């Protein structure tokens, strides 16, 4: 199964991704996790990316596209992958399409986890990550609205988008996801 997981910061993507991986075993490709690991290891890319991350801004497309292009070629992606936090811009989605078309491995589905914005701010402010300061949260929500949400139309037009209601308990939300994925698995 090859899937993309889209949702605003604070929608609960990380938690649902964990459940999903336990059940369906795709390779987990979280660009946020990769960037935090690169930052902690103080690599050149990690330090550069951190300038953007700490402000809540998106890291430039080319940095992310290079990271994903390399990661998608790893052996564990052959049996499927979950893209978590990528793509986040139309340019990234187009680059991804090009990579997957070249490999003959198109996406099966794009899941959108939908949560109202008022709820997101409350959730994020309670989380305590370095980029969960109010100013950075506002920037991240704004980035989602302006740069990432156009992907919903992009994948909708391709017939790949399925929207999941992201309100409820973790188990309720995962049940909704399973119902959708069991049909295509
Ligand atoms: P996340 O853990 O997915 O919320 O990502 C944390 C931060 O990493 C984001 O706020 C961005 O600064 C950066 N980031 C992660 N994925 C991407 C991406 N696909 N494009 C640009 N920036 C990203």
């Amino acid at each position: 199964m090859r899937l993309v997981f889209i949702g605003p910061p604070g929608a609960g993507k990380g938690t649902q991704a964990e459940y999903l991986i336990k059940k369906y075993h795709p390779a987990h490709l979280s660009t946020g996790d990769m960037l935090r690991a690169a930052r902690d290891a103080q690599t050149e890319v990690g330090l550069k990316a951190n300038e953007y991350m700490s402000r809540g801004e998106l890291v430039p497309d080319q940095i992310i596209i290079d990271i994903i292009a390399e990661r998608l070629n790893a052996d564990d992606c052959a049996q499927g992958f979950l893209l978590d936090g990528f793509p986040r811009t139309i340019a990234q989605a187009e680059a991804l399409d090009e990579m997957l078309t070249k490999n003959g491995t198109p996406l099966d589905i794009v899941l959108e986890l939908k949560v109202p914005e008022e709820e997101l701010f409350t959730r994020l402010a309670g989380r305590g990550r370095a980029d969960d300061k109010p100013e950075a949260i506002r920037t991240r929500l704004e980035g989602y609205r302006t740069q990432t949400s156009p992907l919903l139309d992009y994948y909708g037009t391709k017939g790949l988008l399925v929207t999941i209601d992201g309100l409820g308990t973790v188990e309720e939300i995962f049940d909704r996801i399973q119902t959708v994925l069991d049909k295509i698995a």
Side-chain angles (χ1 to χ4, degrees):
M1 191 183 329
R2 292 180 291 272
L3 59 139
V4 165
F5 209 3
I6 298 184
K13 263 191 299 127
T15 306
Q16 294 300 327
E18 275 176 36
Y19 277 60
L20 198 157
I21 283 150
K22 258 191 216 136
K23 174 156 182 195
Y24 301 95
H25 312 291
H28 185 199
L29 277 55
S30 159
T31 42
D33 286 352
M34 292 177 207
L35 292 171
R36 281 184 288 275
R39 174 197 65 197
D40 294 348
Q42 307 210 340
T43 66
E44 199 180 320
V45 166
L47 294 176
K48 178 92 198 133
N50 190 45
E51 294 171 24
Y52 298 89
M53 293 164 76
S54 61
R55 293 192 295 259
E57 292 168 16
L58 291 185
V59 171
D61 286 331
Q62 204 51 52
I63 293 182
I64 297 286
I65 290 167
D66 289 348
I67 291 176
I68 283 288
E70 193 183 328
R71 183 66 186 83
L72 274 175
N73 281 328
D75 289 347
D76 64 331
C77 290
Q79 89 268 0
F81 52 79
L82 167 67
L83 285 166
D84 172 5
F86 176 91
R88 263 179 156 97
T89 65
I90 294 284
Q92 291 177 19
E94 288 173 348
L96 175 66
D97 273 351
E98 205 176 299
M99 292 174 217
L100 297 181
T101 303
K102 205 167 70 191
N103 294 346
T105 53
L107 292 173
D108 296 305
I109 190 165
V110 175
L111 288 180
E112 175 201 6
L113 198 55
K114 198 181 175 89
V115 173
E117 198 162 307
E118 317 81 76
E119 169 75 15
L120 295 171
F121 197 90
T122 318
R123 289 190 194 179
L124 288 167
R127 210 159 67 164
R129 217 166 71 180
D131 54 352
D132 287 339
K133 295 190 188 72
E135 190 50 40
I137 292 176
R138 265 189 286 277
T139 306
R140 284 159 66 209
L141 291 173
E142 171 75 15
Y144 182 79
R145 207 182 312 118
T146 59
Q147 293 172 274
T148 306
S149 68
L151 295 179
L152 301 174
D153 268 352
Y154 180 89
Y155 287 120
T157 305
K158 291 177 187 286
L160 288 172
L161 185 73
V162 175
T163 299
I164 305 282
D165 175 4
L167 289 179
T169 66
V170 169
E171 287 74 21
E172 282 164 351
I173 299 164
F174 188 60
D175 272 347
R176 295 173 196 143
I177 292 177
Q178 286 183 92
T179 304
V180 172
L181 294 188
D182 286 344
K183 280 189 208 141
I184 64 162

PDB file of all heavy atoms in Angstrom, residues 14-28 82 174 178:
ATOM      1  N   GLY A  14       0.440  11.897  13.629  1.00  0.00           N
ATOM      2  CA  GLY A  14       1.519  11.071  14.174  1.00  0.00           C
ATOM      3  C   GLY A  14       0.964   9.838  14.876  1.00  0.00           C
ATOM      4  O   GLY A  14       1.419   8.715  14.651  1.00  0.00           O
ATOM      5  N   THR A  15      -0.036  10.048  15.737  1.00  0.00           N
ATOM      6  CA  THR A  15      -0.646   8.953  16.489  1.00  0.00           C
ATOM      7  C   THR A  15      -1.312   7.963  15.548  1.00  0.00           C
ATOM      8  O   THR A  15      -1.131   6.746  15.677  1.00  0.00           O
ATOM      9  CB  THR A  15      -1.722   9.519  17.456  1.00  0.00           C
ATOM     10  OG1 THR A  15      -1.105  10.537  18.251  1.00  0.00           O
ATOM     11  CG2 THR A  15      -2.294   8.438  18.339  1.00  0.00           C
ATOM     12  N   GLN A  16      -2.088   8.458  14.604  1.00  0.00           N
ATOM     13  CA  GLN A  16      -2.778   7.567  13.668  1.00  0.00           C
ATOM     14  C   GLN A  16      -1.772   6.834  12.781  1.00  0.00           C
ATOM     15  O   GLN A  16      -1.977   5.663  12.444  1.00  0.00           O
ATOM     16  CB  GLN A  16      -3.784   8.352  12.815  1.00  0.00           C
ATOM     17  CG  GLN A  16      -4.941   8.938  13.615  1.00  0.00           C
ATOM     18  CD  GLN A  16      -5.772   7.862  14.329  1.00  0.00           C
ATOM     19  OE1 GLN A  16      -5.928   6.741  13.844  1.00  0.00           O
ATOM     20  NE2 GLN A  16      -6.310   8.197  15.498  1.00  0.00           N
ATOM     21  N   ALA A  17      -0.681   7.512  12.438  1.00  0.00           N
ATOM     22  CA  ALA A  17       0.357   6.871  11.617  1.00  0.00           C
ATOM     23  C   ALA A  17       0.921   5.657  12.359  1.00  0.00           C
ATOM     24  O   ALA A  17       1.129   4.598  11.769  1.00  0.00           O
ATOM     25  CB  ALA A  17       1.463   7.867  11.278  1.00  0.00           C
ATOM     26  N   GLU A  18       1.140   5.803  13.671  1.00  0.00           N
ATOM     27  CA  GLU A  18       1.666   4.674  14.461  1.00  0.00           C
ATOM     28  C   GLU A  18       0.729   3.472  14.400  1.00  0.00           C
ATOM     29  O   GLU A  18       1.172   2.338  14.209  1.00  0.00           O
ATOM     30  CB  GLU A  18       1.806   5.077  15.931  1.00  0.00           C
ATOM     31  CG  GLU A  18       3.099   5.777  16.263  1.00  0.00           C
ATOM     32  CD  GLU A  18       3.119   6.236  17.717  1.00  0.00           C
ATOM     33  OE1 GLU A  18       2.569   5.515  18.581  1.00  0.00           O
ATOM     34  OE2 GLU A  18       3.665   7.321  17.973  1.00  0.00           O
ATOM     35  N   TYR A  19      -0.559   3.720  14.602  1.00  0.00           N
ATOM     36  CA  TYR A  19      -1.555   2.628  14.555  1.00  0.00           C
ATOM     37  C   TYR A  19      -1.555   1.980  13.179  1.00  0.00           C
ATOM     38  O   TYR A  19      -1.599   0.762  13.041  1.00  0.00           O
ATOM     39  CB  TYR A  19      -2.954   3.188  14.851  1.00  0.00           C
ATOM     40  CG  TYR A  19      -3.277   3.338  16.313  1.00  0.00           C
ATOM     41  CD1 TYR A  19      -2.516   4.162  17.143  1.00  0.00           C
ATOM     42  CD2 TYR A  19      -4.372   2.673  16.877  1.00  0.00           C
ATOM     43  CE1 TYR A  19      -2.825   4.307  18.479  1.00  0.00           C
ATOM     44  CE2 TYR A  19      -4.688   2.826  18.218  1.00  0.00           C
ATOM     45  CZ  TYR A  19      -3.924   3.643  19.015  1.00  0.00           C
ATOM     46  OH  TYR A  19      -4.237   3.794  20.335  1.00  0.00           O
ATOM     47  N   LEU A  20      -1.553   2.846  12.180  1.00  0.00           N
ATOM     48  CA  LEU A  20      -1.640   2.369  10.794  1.00  0.00           C
ATOM     49  C   LEU A  20      -0.444   1.472  10.443  1.00  0.00           C
ATOM     50  O   LEU A  20      -0.591   0.429   9.800  1.00  0.00           O
ATOM     51  CB  LEU A  20      -1.675   3.616   9.916  1.00  0.00           C
ATOM     52  CG  LEU A  20      -2.163   3.522   8.491  1.00  0.00           C
ATOM     53  CD1 LEU A  20      -2.631   4.903   8.032  1.00  0.00           C
ATOM     54  CD2 LEU A  20      -1.102   3.011   7.569  1.00  0.00           C
ATOM     55  N   ILE A  21       0.734   1.881  10.907  1.00  0.00           N
ATOM     56  CA  ILE A  21       1.945   1.117  10.595  1.00  0.00           C
ATOM     57  C   ILE A  21       1.927  -0.243  11.278  1.00  0.00           C
ATOM     58  O   ILE A  21       2.310  -1.249  10.696  1.00  0.00           O
ATOM     59  CB  ILE A  21       3.177   1.955  10.969  1.00  0.00           C
ATOM     60  CG1 ILE A  21       3.367   3.008   9.880  1.00  0.00           C
ATOM     61  CG2 ILE A  21       4.427   1.111  11.096  1.00  0.00           C
ATOM     62  CD1 ILE A  21       3.990   4.247  10.360  1.00  0.00           C
ATOM     63  N   LYS A  22       1.432  -0.263  12.535  1.00  0.00           N
ATOM     64  CA  LYS A  22       1.336  -1.539  13.252  1.00  0.00           C
ATOM     65  C   LYS A  22       0.450  -2.520  12.498  1.00  0.00           C
ATOM     66  O   LYS A  22       0.708  -3.709  12.459  1.00  0.00           O
ATOM     67  CB  LYS A  22       0.767  -1.311  14.652  1.00  0.00           C
ATOM     68  CG  LYS A  22       1.850  -1.341  15.697  1.00  0.00           C
ATOM     69  CD  LYS A  22       1.272  -1.383  17.100  1.00  0.00           C
ATOM     70  CE  LYS A  22       2.156  -0.562  18.035  1.00  0.00           C
ATOM     71  NZ  LYS A  22       1.418   0.297  18.940  1.00  0.00           N
ATOM     72  N   LYS A  23      -0.626  -2.010  11.924  1.00  0.00           N
ATOM     73  CA  LYS A  23      -1.565  -2.929  11.275  1.00  0.00           C
ATOM     74  C   LYS A  23      -1.188  -3.258   9.822  1.00  0.00           C
ATOM     75  O   LYS A  23      -1.326  -4.393   9.393  1.00  0.00           O
ATOM     76  CB  LYS A  23      -2.988  -2.343  11.330  1.00  0.00           C
ATOM     77  CG  LYS A  23      -3.970  -3.184  10.534  1.00  0.00           C
ATOM     78  CD  LYS A  23      -5.399  -3.073  10.943  1.00  0.00           C
ATOM     79  CE  LYS A  23      -6.213  -4.033  10.069  1.00  0.00           C
ATOM     80  NZ  LYS A  23      -7.633  -3.763  10.122  1.00  0.00           N
ATOM     81  N   TYR A  24      -0.725  -2.261   9.051  1.00  0.00           N
ATOM     82  CA  TYR A  24      -0.541  -2.478   7.604  1.00  0.00           C
ATOM     83  C   TYR A  24       0.925  -2.576   7.165  1.00  0.00           C
ATOM     84  O   TYR A  24       1.195  -2.908   6.010  1.00  0.00           O
ATOM     85  CB  TYR A  24      -1.252  -1.375   6.814  1.00  0.00           C
ATOM     86  CG  TYR A  24      -2.744  -1.297   7.092  1.00  0.00           C
ATOM     87  CD1 TYR A  24      -3.258  -0.421   8.040  1.00  0.00           C
ATOM     88  CD2 TYR A  24      -3.638  -2.125   6.415  1.00  0.00           C
ATOM     89  CE1 TYR A  24      -4.616  -0.351   8.313  1.00  0.00           C
ATOM     90  CE2 TYR A  24      -5.000  -2.060   6.676  1.00  0.00           C
ATOM     91  CZ  TYR A  24      -5.488  -1.175   7.618  1.00  0.00           C
ATOM     92  OH  TYR A  24      -6.837  -1.110   7.885  1.00  0.00           O
ATOM     93  N   HIS A  25       1.846  -2.211   8.084  1.00  0.00           N
ATOM     94  CA  HIS A  25       3.300  -2.357   7.853  1.00  0.00           C
ATOM     95  C   HIS A  25       3.887  -1.646   6.637  1.00  0.00           C
ATOM     96  O   HIS A  25       4.813  -2.186   6.005  1.00  0.00           O
ATOM     97  CB  HIS A  25       3.680  -3.843   7.778  1.00  0.00           C
ATOM     98  CG  HIS A  25       3.098  -4.640   8.889  1.00  0.00           C
ATOM     99  ND1 HIS A  25       3.512  -4.503  10.194  1.00  0.00           N
ATOM    100  CD2 HIS A  25       2.095  -5.558   8.893  1.00  0.00           C
ATOM    101  CE1 HIS A  25       2.804  -5.308  10.957  1.00  0.00           C
ATOM    102  NE2 HIS A  25       1.915  -5.948  10.198  1.00  0.00           N
ATOM    103  N   PRO A  26       3.434  -0.457   6.284  1.00  0.00           N
ATOM    104  CA  PRO A  26       4.171   0.283   5.251  1.00  0.00           C
ATOM    105  C   PRO A  26       5.445   0.868   5.878  1.00  0.00           C
ATOM    106  O   PRO A  26       5.528   0.982   7.110  1.00  0.00           O
ATOM    107  CB  PRO A  26       3.209   1.412   4.879  1.00  0.00           C
ATOM    108  CG  PRO A  26       2.456   1.679   6.151  1.00  0.00           C
ATOM    109  CD  PRO A  26       2.326   0.338   6.846  1.00  0.00           C
ATOM    110  N   ALA A  27       6.443   1.208   5.062  1.00  0.00           N
ATOM    111  CA  ALA A  27       7.586   1.976   5.573  1.00  0.00           C
ATOM    112  C   ALA A  27       7.068   3.356   5.977  1.00  0.00           C
ATOM    113  O   ALA A  27       6.230   3.925   5.279  1.00  0.00           O
ATOM    114  CB  ALA A  27       8.644   2.100   4.485  1.00  0.00           C
ATOM    115  N   HIS A  28       7.535   3.869   7.104  1.00  0.00           N
ATOM    116  CA  HIS A  28       7.051   5.165   7.601  1.00  0.00           C
ATOM    117  C   HIS A  28       8.017   6.272   7.203  1.00  0.00           C
ATOM    118  O   HIS A  28       9.152   6.302   7.677  1.00  0.00           O
ATOM    119  CB  HIS A  28       6.927   5.099   9.127  1.00  0.00           C
ATOM    120  CG  HIS A  28       6.315   6.341   9.717  1.00  0.00           C
ATOM    121  ND1 HIS A  28       6.445   6.674  11.039  1.00  0.00           N
ATOM    122  CD2 HIS A  28       5.558   7.317   9.168  1.00  0.00           C
ATOM    123  CE1 HIS A  28       5.790   7.812  11.272  1.00  0.00           C
ATOM    124  NE2 HIS A  28       5.252   8.224  10.149  1.00  0.00           N
ATOM    125  N   LEU A  82       4.138   4.903   3.818  1.00  0.00           N
ATOM    126  CA  LEU A  82       3.232   5.947   4.287  1.00  0.00           C
ATOM    127  C   LEU A  82       4.019   7.247   4.312  1.00  0.00           C
ATOM    128  O   LEU A  82       5.002   7.368   5.058  1.00  0.00           O
ATOM    129  CB  LEU A  82       2.746   5.607   5.705  1.00  0.00           C
ATOM    130  CG  LEU A  82       2.039   6.744   6.466  1.00  0.00           C
ATOM    131  CD1 LEU A  82       0.714   7.101   5.815  1.00  0.00           C
ATOM    132  CD2 LEU A  82       1.832   6.361   7.916  1.00  0.00           C
ATOM    133  N   PHE A 174      -9.168   5.831  14.257  1.00  0.00           N
ATOM    134  CA  PHE A 174      -8.473   4.735  13.566  1.00  0.00           C
ATOM    135  C   PHE A 174      -9.473   3.764  12.925  1.00  0.00           C
ATOM    136  O   PHE A 174      -9.206   3.223  11.850  1.00  0.00           O
ATOM    137  CB  PHE A 174      -7.510   3.991  14.500  1.00  0.00           C
ATOM    138  CG  PHE A 174      -6.663   3.006  13.747  1.00  0.00           C
ATOM    139  CD1 PHE A 174      -5.822   3.431  12.717  1.00  0.00           C
ATOM    140  CD2 PHE A 174      -6.726   1.653  14.031  1.00  0.00           C
ATOM    141  CE1 PHE A 174      -5.067   2.520  11.988  1.00  0.00           C
ATOM    142  CE2 PHE A 174      -5.970   0.733  13.305  1.00  0.00           C
ATOM    143  CZ  PHE A 174      -5.136   1.172  12.284  1.00  0.00           C
ATOM    144  N   GLN A 178      -9.333   2.472   9.164  1.00  0.00           N
ATOM    145  CA  GLN A 178      -9.326   1.044   8.802  1.00  0.00           C
ATOM    146  C   GLN A 178     -10.419   0.703   7.806  1.00  0.00           C
ATOM    147  O   GLN A 178     -10.206  -0.091   6.880  1.00  0.00           O
ATOM    148  CB  GLN A 178      -9.573   0.185  10.037  1.00  0.00           C
ATOM    149  CG  GLN A 178      -8.414   0.092  10.976  1.00  0.00           C
ATOM    150  CD  GLN A 178      -8.758  -0.838  12.125  1.00  0.00           C
ATOM    151  OE1 GLN A 178      -8.493  -2.022  12.065  1.00  0.00           O
ATOM    152  NE2 GLN A 178      -9.367  -0.284  13.158  1.00  0.00           N
TER     153      GLN A 178
END
